[in-house]
Amino acid sequence: MGLKRLITIVLAVAVILGFVYWDYYYIKPVPKPELWGFHDPPVLINMSWQKNGSVEVLSLTSGNASTLYGKVMEQLQNIGYSMSQGNWSRLTCQWSLWESENRTYYIAYNGSKFLALRGSYDDVIKATNRVWLCGKPKNGTLVSSPSPWKAAEALALSLGSELMKYNISIDQATWNGPLPDWYLAKFSFKIKVGTGVLALILVYSNESEVKYAEYLLKKRDRSLRFLESDAGQYRALIVLKGREADVERVIELIKGS
């Protein structure tokens, strides 16, 4: 075989291997979502919060107080807070109470005034006895707004119920795979198929956040498999880890249910 022919073959093989490597290992980048990583509404982050006892208070006068109020409500929901109380009897004077696992927000506006309190639930409730606008939580309407954590648990329960139809049970288990650096809620369990499949439910507010979380996890572990699901008003990423045949069986059962 001539040297030229040998070089041609080697180059051809290298190109083929390069395409195979690229196809398997290359992960197309996904843009980072706007609210990714935030635990407080970004629209309020650079404002002048003042310490008042055990809570922080933001009080300002602005011509767009109602617009700011609406923006804060939208961002609170999208970063994992759930509304528990509120008062909407007047368009020009409203307040609402928002809760997460670690922090509570009371927000209100009245004409050109905007007010926000943040801290632990008990501290915020106590603070509204001395600092409030438009109404206090004790005078509000209770709201049934499920939290991301409840959404994760409900989805896990739903999946478990569907799998039980095939005589497959699940047990709560600790996820030992990679995690993205931000999520609204998570829930993990083990599906008793074959040697066992670990499942992780990650809850987000929208599709773009789910796709970004999947991208981050793929970069850490190419063997993971992914499914998506609605989770009430949220969107969930279901991550599966285990022996390939077992994971394929679980995917088949979930998609068929």
Side-chain angles (χ1 to χ4, degrees), residues 129-189:
N129 287 323
R130 61 181 187 274
V131 185
W132 57 276
L133 184 68
C134 295
K136 307 177 185 179
K138 68 177 182 179
N139 299 324
T141 302
L142 295 177
V143 178
S144 179
S145 178
S147 71
W149 293 89
K150 291 295 183 184
E153 292 176 0
L155 178 56
L157 181 61
S158 174
L159 290 174
S161 298
E162 290 298 324
L163 291 171
M164 283 183 65
K165 295 177 181 178
Y166 304 96
N167 295 319
I168 294 171
S169 60
I170 67 173
D171 285 330
Q172 194 164 347
T174 301
W175 175 256
N176 60 12
L179 279 170
D181 57 0
W182 187 78
Y183 46 82
L184 302 185
K186 67 181 176 69
F187 192 93
S188 58
F189 54 94

Side-chain angles (χ1 to χ4, degrees), residues 148-244:
W149 293 89
K150 291 295 183 184
E153 292 176 0
L155 178 56
L157 181 61
S158 174
L159 290 174
S161 298
E162 290 298 324
L163 291 171
M164 283 183 65
K165 295 177 181 178
Y166 304 96
N167 295 319
I168 294 171
S169 60
I170 67 173
D171 285 330
Q172 194 164 347
T174 301
W175 175 256
N176 60 12
L179 279 170
D181 57 0
W182 187 78
Y183 46 82
L184 302 185
K186 67 181 176 69
F187 192 93
S188 58
F189 54 94
K190 188 173 185 177
I191 304 170
K192 293 184 177 180
V193 169
T195 58
V197 173
L198 274 177
L200 172 69
I201 293 174
L202 294 169
V203 174
Y204 293 97
S205 65
N206 55 57
E207 180 77 9
S208 65
E209 292 173 354
V210 166
K211 292 300 185 185
Y212 188 69
E214 182 177 336
Y215 162 68
L216 293 179
L217 290 171
K218 279 181 178 178
K219 287 173 60 176
R220 298 277 302 277
D221 188 344
R222 287 300 302 266
S223 69
L224 298 175
R225 298 293 299 277
F226 303 93
L227 295 171
E228 292 185 32
S229 175
D230 287 326
Q233 65 186 28
Y234 302 99
R235 190 73 181 159
L237 179 66
I238 304 170
V239 191
L240 301 172
K241 181 176 183 286
R243 196 173 61 178
E244 184 176 356

Side-chain angles (χ1 to χ4, degrees), residues 43-61:
V43 70
L44 299 180
I45 285 179
N46 294 321
M47 294 191 177
S48 300
W49 291 84
Q50 303 294 324
K51 193 73 174 175
N52 186 319
S54 54
V55 301
E56 292 179 287
V57 178
L58 171 65
S59 180
L60 57 88
T61 300

Side-chain angles (χ1 to χ4, degrees), residues 19-37:
F19 277 116
V20 171
Y21 179 88
W22 180 269
D23 183 61
Y24 182 79
Y25 286 101
Y26 176 73
I27 302 172
K28 185 178 179 180
V30 175
K32 187 176 182 179
E34 179 184 5
L35 295 180
W36 186 272

Side-chain angles (χ1 to χ4, degrees), residues 8-159:
T8 301
I9 293 173
V10 170
L11 288 175
V13 171
V15 169
I16 292 171
L17 290 176
F19 277 116
V20 171
Y21 179 88
W22 180 269
D23 183 61
Y24 182 79
Y25 286 101
Y26 176 73
I27 302 172
K28 185 178 179 180
V30 175
K32 187 176 182 179
E34 179 184 5
L35 295 180
W36 186 272
F38 284 98
H39 297 282
D40 293 290
V43 70
L44 299 180
I45 285 179
N46 294 321
M47 294 191 177
S48 300
W49 291 84
Q50 303 294 324
K51 193 73 174 175
N52 186 319
S54 54
V55 301
E56 292 179 287
V57 178
L58 171 65
S59 180
L60 57 88
T61 300
S62 171
N64 66 342
S66 61
T67 302
L68 177 59
Y69 180 82
K71 186 66 174 178
V72 173
M73 286 183 66
E74 177 186 356
Q75 290 185 349
L76 282 169
Q77 178 172 317
N78 289 338
I79 60 176
Y81 286 79
S82 54
M83 188 192 299
S84 59
Q85 294 184 56
N87 185 355
W88 305 273
S89 58
R90 293 168 58 191
L91 291 178
T92 57
C93 185
Q94 295 184 13
W95 67 267
S96 51
L97 191 72
W98 296 77
E99 298 177 47
S100 71
E101 287 287 292
N102 302 310
R103 178 173 275 187
T104 295
Y105 269 84
Y106 166 92
I107 58 173
Y109 82 93
N110 180 2
S112 61
K113 294 181 180 179
F114 175 84
L115 175 70
L117 281 68
R118 67 186 183 192
S120 71
Y121 176 81
D122 290 339
D123 289 339
V124 168
I125 294 298
K126 290 176 184 177
T128 56
N129 287 323
R130 61 181 187 274
V131 185
W132 57 276
L133 184 68
C134 295
K136 307 177 185 179
K138 68 177 182 179
N139 299 324
T141 302
L142 295 177
V143 178
S144 179
S145 178
S147 71
W149 293 89
K150 291 295 183 184
E153 292 176 0
L155 178 56
L157 181 61
S158 174
L159 290 174

